[in-house]
Amino acid sequence: MAASLVWLATISALLSIAACIDDKCAACNAVAGELEHGLANEKPRNHLDMRHQLDSKGQRRGKVIDYRVSELRVVELLDGLCEKMQDYTRIKVDSAKREWVKVDNWDNVTSNKQEARAYSKDISSYCGRLLEETEDELAELIKSGSVKAGGVSRVLCHDLSKQCEQNSGIGDVDDEDDGSKEEL
């Protein structure tokens, strides 16, 4: 009995993952958009003073670290990112196309609210998997200054995770992706 429950749970997990496979590029772009929002709204910060020890002459020892290249900045940008993605859902743009959008008020959602909430959980868990797979490289790029507002999607979705390039052999998918990039 327990083995069949485990098997059923595995199959349902695989089916839910498979349902999102066709939309990974758009989901990645939504995550990148939220990260870009965080970068654009960053408040200027002072350097981090790590000189907490005194030497034998009473002088402070340690380093002063520029906030822009600090691990603290990366943690503040990425911490809670996936929880913020729970404010997103997919809406139908036309009969064949859906888009990820941020929901300001869940009471104003006109479509099936249960389905909209399920999408928000899907993109939040997708965000967790995406960051798990790219976090080290992304953190280094943020600290080096390579990731700036306006270029997050290219770095995260094309260069690091390759979510927007994995279907590059199929002409129809590329045409659709090119059109959606212009809209975003």
Side-chain angles (χ1 to χ4, degrees), residues 8 25 61 73-75 79 90 98 106 147 175:
L8 184 61
C25 182
R61 292 179 50 201
R73 178 179 180 231
V74 173
V75 169
D79 192 36
R90 288 180 70 193
R98 290 182 167 259
W106 285 95
V147 177
D175 292 341

Side-chain angles (χ1 to χ4, degrees), residues 8 13 48 51 54 56 58 99 110 116 178 184:
L8 184 61
L48 302 174
R51 299 177 296 173
L54 296 177
S56 61
E99 228 174 64
T110 56
D178 289 341
L184 296 176

Side-chain angles (χ1 to χ4, degrees), residues 20-172:
C20 296
I21 288 175
D22 65 331
D23 201 43
K24 283 185 177 180
C25 182
C28 185
N29 283 323
V31 172
E34 190 63 36
L35 178 57
E36 196 158 317
H37 179 73
L39 279 169
N41 292 327
E42 261 186 318
K43 294 182 175 134
R45 297 275 303 259
N46 291 331
H47 297 308
L48 302 174
D49 189 353
M50 305 304 286
R51 299 177 296 173
H52 301 294
Q53 294 180 334
L54 296 177
D55 63 12
S56 61
K57 297 176 185 171
Q59 299 296 317
R60 292 170 62 175
R61 292 179 50 201
K63 298 192 256 186
V64 176
I65 302 170
D66 183 6
Y67 176 75
R68 292 262 193 228
V69 297
S70 70
E71 188 72 26
L72 177 62
R73 178 179 180 231
V74 173
V75 169
E76 287 178 347
L77 283 171
L78 298 181
D79 192 36
L81 178 65
C82 294
E83 286 80 19
K84 291 176 188 171
M85 296 311 296
Q86 290 182 2
D87 293 337
Y88 283 75
T89 192
R90 288 180 70 193
I91 61 165
K92 230 180 212 185
V93 176
D94 58 36
S95 63
K97 188 175 177 185
R98 290 182 167 259
E99 228 174 64
W100 290 102
V101 295
K102 188 169 187 170
V103 176
D104 294 325
N105 185 352
W106 285 95
D107 293 331
N108 294 338
V109 173
T110 56
S111 62
N112 182 346
K113 287 184 183 16
Q114 188 175 15
E115 182 182 21
R117 286 286 189 188
Y119 281 133
S120 74
K121 289 178 183 168
D122 286 345
I123 196 167
S124 180
S125 63
Y126 168 80
C127 174
R129 291 189 306 271
L130 179 68
L131 286 185
E132 184 177 323
E133 121 187 355
T134 62
E135 186 170 17
D136 294 335
E137 296 92 354
L138 183 61
E140 288 305 314
L141 290 171
I142 290 171
K143 289 193 296 188
S144 71
S146 300
V147 177
K148 296 183 177 157
V152 177
S153 180
R154 180 191 50 78
V155 169
L156 183 62
C157 303
H158 294 273
D159 300 343
L160 293 178
S161 69
K162 310 229 183 299
Q163 296 292 304
C164 293
E165 295 180 345
Q166 64 185 6
N167 292 329
S168 61
I170 303 171
D172 294 339

